[in-house]
Amino acid sequence: MKIEEVKSNSKSQRIASHSHVKGLGLDENGYAIQTAAGLVGQELAREAAGVVVEMIRCKKMAGRAVLFAGPPGTGKTAIALAIAQELGSKVPFCPMVGSEVYSSEIKKTEVLMENFRRAIGLRIKETKEVYEGEVTEITPAETENPMGGYGKTVSHVIIGLKTAKGTKQLKLDPSIFESLQKEKVEVGDVIYIESNSGAVKRQGRSDSYATEFDLEAEEYVPLPKGDVHKKKEVIQDVTLHDLDTANARPQGGQDVMSMMSSLMKPKKTEITDKLRKEINKVVNTYIDQGIAELVPGLLFIDEVHMLDIECFTYLHRALESSISPIVIFATNRGKCTIRGTEDIVSSHGIPLDLLDRVMIIRTLPYTQEEMMQILGIRSQTESIHISDESLQLLSLTGTNSTLRYAVQLLTPANLLARINGKDGIGKEEIEEVKKLFYDAKSSAKLLQKFDDKYMK
């Protein structure tokens, strides 16, 4: 009898342009390893990003900004995403693009502030009264349906809970019976029920039911200690934007007119500064009392040169605020006019007073060898077989044009190889794909050559 292991497909993500980036790839001393965690080269930029990560972990970075500056396709977004990966899922990460602020519904500054608030997390510790234990019985008590008819309704449910210290029988509301069914609770499961809200959470199967076989797909948890009825600390993670939106929605009446008016209103409402100040006050009192802890996250603004002078002046205020996240800008512009001004030219399209506030990290163009490594990692991520000499040719193509162009040729070349009945990409496929798809430079040369044929 042959048993094959089945690979789990629950966690497989769609392949995007930065799917292969898993972290910054630094050693324990903070020095960059040439190829690690999906990143290649850019050692100085990665080491600088490592210092930023350490500062964030020590909570010494809030209200500061970092700028990644470098030519297109040199890994600015990749390093910013790697920083987010290093910090983990508990630290809020909010990516946006400079042009996102131009909305017809709400002000530019409002969009910026909204994203600032999205990038600030609040970890609230609550002590709740809960009933916790292993389910020994679930008995729904049924009565005749008061509405008439043949069906019966559940009047209440009796549930038995057992812990290491004792057992208890509870008589619960029929609405809790519905949540028990939703959570698929059976006898032998370990659950907890919040006494004030009636929320049911299934933690897993009791380990006394664990069999000697490993084929059971269940997660087994030990029998809870202590009494059935106890106080338990629950930790919740919310962002300040969640608090803003929860408090901004006016709670209308139950009549038809108020419901209609709430439907007719546009979905996006501007949150006033007054409301934010009130929420900040509440948040600060929570922090002072030790109920909550502030988690400054990461706001990543790509193509920062797309912001205009009004947004830049607003950024000063947002950065100086007592509650602010770490801001990472990225731009591929050199000297250019600041948007929203007539003739003020500045580096990266950012005003000088804001450039003074940011720590600038440079990214440099890749060498052919580094391009070859990146293309190798990329082909592994996309499950493409490619020979070494084809990789060499593709990296040479990338050096002459751009890395992005070389990466984009991988999938079409793989399709051609399949059509030609091959397992992997050979030199012929790359040559053929280069003839089919032009890069920007060769396209521009053709435009010059046939200039008279195009419309003016």
Side-chain angles (χ1 to χ4, degrees):
M1 183 181 167
K2 192 182 175 194
I3 295 179
E4 285 185 20
E5 192 179 327
V6 180
K7 281 186 184 172
S8 163
N9 57 1
S10 58
K11 203 58 186 130
S12 66
Q13 290 177 315
R14 286 183 300 171
I15 292 170
S17 51
H18 294 103
S19 299
H20 56 282
V21 178
K22 300 285 181 278
L24 285 168
L26 306 174
D27 62 15
E28 61 274 9
N29 299 324
Y31 293 109
I33 304 160
Q34 208 271 330
T35 307
L39 291 178
V40 175
Q42 305 293 2
E43 282 92 344
L44 286 172
R46 279 156 61 198
E47 283 168 20
V51 174
V52 170
V53 167
E54 278 308 308
M55 283 165 77
I56 295 169
R57 282 187 183 142
C58 303
K59 298 202 170 112
K60 298 272 194 298
M61 186 72 194
R64 299 199 198 183
V66 175
L67 170 69
F68 283 109
T74 51
K76 298 182 291 294
T77 311
I79 295 173
L81 290 173
I83 291 176
Q85 294 271 25
E86 289 280 337
L87 291 169
S89 57
K90 291 284 182 217
V91 176
F93 174 65
C94 177
M96 67 172 284
V97 184
S99 51
E100 248 176 71
V101 298
Y102 304 104
S103 157
S104 58
E105 288 182 350
I106 49 179
K107 290 187 304 199
K108 295 177 279 199
T109 50
E110 178 58 32
V111 178
L112 268 180
M113 197 60 193
E114 202 172 282
N115 281 309
F116 259 84
R117 307 279 285 186
R118 268 201 187 102
I120 305 165
L122 195 67
R123 194 162 290 156
I124 304 163
K125 298 186 191 83
E126 277 184 283
T127 307
K128 291 185 176 177
E129 276 191 36
V130 294
Y131 291 93
E132 184 180 39
E134 179 198 316
V135 179
T136 52
E137 66 158 326
I138 300 178
T139 319
E142 290 183 332
T143 55
E144 294 296 327
N145 194 337
M147 309 299 284
Y150 295 108
K152 290 193 170 186
T153 57
V154 176
S155 62
H156 62 269
V157 59
I158 289 171
I159 198 166
L161 291 179
K162 179 175 87 173
T163 60
K165 209 168 182 183
T167 55
K168 215 177 201 137
Q169 260 196 338
L170 309 172
K171 186 178 173 183
L172 304 173
D173 192 70
S175 62
I176 295 179
F177 182 57
E178 283 171 28
S179 0
L180 287 169
Q181 283 178 313
K182 271 184 199 159
E183 287 274 323
K184 295 187 174 65
V185 174
E186 296 169 11
V187 172
D189 289 349
V190 174
I191 64 166
Y192 74 80
I193 305 168
E194 288 177 19
S195 59
N196 54 353
S197 65
V200 177
K201 182 89 175 73
R202 181 180 181 274
Q203 289 171 298
R205 199 112 175 94
S206 171
D207 56 6
S208 59
Y209 284 80
T211 56
E212 65 268 32
F213 305 112
D214 286 338
L215 292 171
E216 289 288 329
E218 276 290 351
E219 191 180 328
Y220 292 103
V221 290
L223 190 70
K225 295 178 176 67
D227 291 315
V228 173
H229 182 222
K230 61 170 102 113
K231 284 186 166 67
K232 188 172 180 152
E233 197 174 76
V234 182
I235 293 172
Q236 269 182 309
D237 283 312
V238 290
T239 66
L240 291 188
H241 177 67
D242 295 339
L243 296 177
D244 291 349
T245 45
N247 290 296
R249 286 204 192 103
Q251 303 294 324
Q254 293 301 311
D255 59 326
V256 181
M257 284 307 290
S258 63
M259 282 173 76
M260 285 299 287
S261 64
S262 68
L263 286 171
M264 297 295 282
K265 275 179 195 162
K267 284 284 169 278
K268 283 208 164 185
T269 52
E270 194 170 314
I271 296 157
T272 59
D273 217 26
K274 191 179 175 188
L275 176 75
R276 288 212 171 102
K277 278 181 181 156
E278 288 302 316
I279 288 168
N280 283 359
K281 267 186 204 167
V282 175
V283 167
N284 284 328
T285 50
Y286 277 171
I287 293 164
D288 293 343
Q289 287 167 9
I291 300 168
E293 179 194 355
L294 202 68
V295 186
L298 214 87
L299 173 63
F300 174 53
I301 306 178
D302 209 349
E303 313 290 343
V304 68
H305 51 264
M306 287 301 293
L307 298 179
D308 61 10
I309 193 79
E310 292 166 32
C311 294
F312 286 127
T313 48
Y314 189 76
L315 275 174
H316 284 283
R317 185 192 147 205
L319 284 169
E320 281 176 347
S321 157
S322 58
I323 301 177
S324 70
I326 298 98
V327 184
I328 293 183
F329 301 126
T331 178
N332 52 24
R333 297 288 164 98
K335 277 198 173 300
C336 63
T337 311
I338 299 166
R339 192 171 171 157
T341 62
E342 297 282 314
D343 53 353
I344 303 174
V345 176
S346 177
S347 306
H348 316 301
I350 301 172
L352 279 174
D353 52 352
L354 188 65
L355 272 176
D356 270 353
R357 278 178 187 270
V358 298
M359 297 155 81
I360 301 172
I361 299 174
R362 294 220 68 94
T363 56
L364 305 166
Y366 290 108
T367 61
Q368 189 186 337
E369 209 169 281
E370 286 172 343
M371 275 195 193
M372 198 168 158
Q373 288 172 313
I374 292 166
L375 289 163
I377 293 169
R378 200 61 215 164
S379 54
Q380 270 179 343
T381 308
E382 296 188 29
S383 312
I384 293 171
H385 296 291
I386 181 165
S387 65
D388 286 348
E389 56 178 352
S390 307
L391 261 182
Q392 192 108 27
L393 179 62
L394 201 56
S395 58
L396 187 65
T397 309
T399 316
N400 296 334
S401 54
T402 62
L403 171 63
R404 284 176 182 164
Y405 173 66
V407 169
Q408 281 162 351
L409 290 185
L410 271 172
T411 315
N414 188 37
L415 277 174
L416 275 179
R418 274 201 218 152
I419 293 164
N420 297 341
K422 292 182 183 175
D423 284 342
I425 300 171
K427 280 176 115 174
E428 308 79 46
E429 280 79 25
I430 287 166
E431 292 295 349
E432 197 176 333
V433 165
K434 276 166 67 181
K435 284 175 193 161
L436 292 173
F437 301 101
Y438 290 99
D439 66 292
K441 286 177 189 169
S442 48
S443 178
K445 278 179 190 167
L446 275 172
L447 277 176
Q448 275 182 327
K449 192 177 176 184
F450 300 109
D451 191 32
D452 52 332
K453 301 277 191 295
Y454 288 95
M455 292 281 290
K456 288 285 188 285

